[in-house]
Amino acid sequence: MNLINIFWFRRDLRLEDNRGLKEALGMGLPVLPVFIFDTGILNKLEDKSDRRVDYIHGALTDMQQRLKARQSGILFLEGSPLECFNILLSRYEIKNVFCNRDYEPAAINRDKTIAEFLKTREIPFYDFKDQVIFDKNDIVKNDLSPYTVYTPYSRKWKDLLAPGDYTPSHPDISGLLKWHAAPVPALTQIGFRKTDICFVKPEPDVAIIKEYATFRDYPALDRTSHLGMALRFGTISVRECVTYALQYSEVWLNELIWREFFMQILYHFPHVVDRCFKADYEFIPWRNHEAEFQLWCEGRTGYPMVDAGMRQLNQTGYMHNRVRMITASFLTKHLLIDWRWGEAYFAQKLLDYDLAANNGNWQWAAGCGCDAAPYFRIFNPEEQLKKFDKDLVYVRRWHPGFENILTNPPMVAHAFARDRALDTYKKGLNSVRNQ
């Protein structure tokens, strides 16, 4: 049995500009790439026509076809990561295991378990920074504590950025193990069905990025990068995106920095997964009216922008970012429904769902997050509609029948809801502060 290295694909589904893969291939031994269909994750997905699984399957199929043309390929395993590494060790003589780093608490625990298991076999486990430009303690305050406000974090991020941080890490895939690889298992083999999604290798659109600052807030124009899903699953490199942003749009660069800001918040403050970043906000007495939550989910609130956004999400798995803010504000402020309910619904539906960003943005909307966002910032959905979709192009696209129900009042009047939210937040915060 010949000695090999393993590279473990996870959130980095590309052959180009892949830091961990490059490091593995630079060690002088043949590299066997593996991908694990983690049943602990897949079994939690209730919808077996999940577009995200189909997208991952398409990306893997694309890579496998390219690698098989070079007499190589990815080895696919199904089960828990620990079970799968037991199988790998029974089949191969493994020198090292390489992967790219993840920052979600569950992923950190998974990797710790695998690293400790491999250590008992005297096999080193190496992980690398790949899905972000800066991670862990790369960007901290002078006292070495993490930033909890975006603006100073982004300022330091830009100050520290050097060309080497976004230089591509292109691996030489000629060093991959030569073997007769099998095709990717069919979706049905892993318990899922084909959807309407079709994987296409993502690329930044220069025209959209150049005009990003001008048009990004207008959902009818749909002039955003649509690279969220690609960044989530690593089918595009963040280094490539930053290179484009530096050349064409500082505003888009700021959005990429927001992504990293929320990732480092999740890394340093893992309690945010299920609790408010600001502990006092756990005392907000949410109404949590289930019937009203259902109306919000179905896009039947009576507010055209909110309803169009929710219908777009339900039909496509995507929602324009401006509309995400409006719908989230409406749920948490107008209806006083716990942000965790909305976060969980978005996690179920969004194609580009990313724990750090979803959690960070929902807590931002609810006012309980890390950034300096006061609870008394409450979007008026009618004014948002006038400002960002005054001709009702977006609303008519996703909620074509809305004009037929305009004679019915919305489920709650804005002025009433705003006063109720301010009063509820104030009482909840005062109750803990007066203890």
Side-chain angles (χ1 to χ4, degrees), residues 188-203:
T188 52
Q189 287 181 254
I190 58 171
F192 287 82
R193 294 182 291 271
K194 186 78 184 83
T195 71
D196 58 0
I197 205 160
C198 180
F199 175 76
V200 177
K201 191 174 182 300
E203 291 184 12

Side-chain angles (χ1 to χ4, degrees), residues 156-168:
K156 192 159 190 177
W157 193 102
K158 291 175 183 177
D159 287 344
L160 292 179
L161 185 68
D165 295 316
Y166 52 91
T167 300

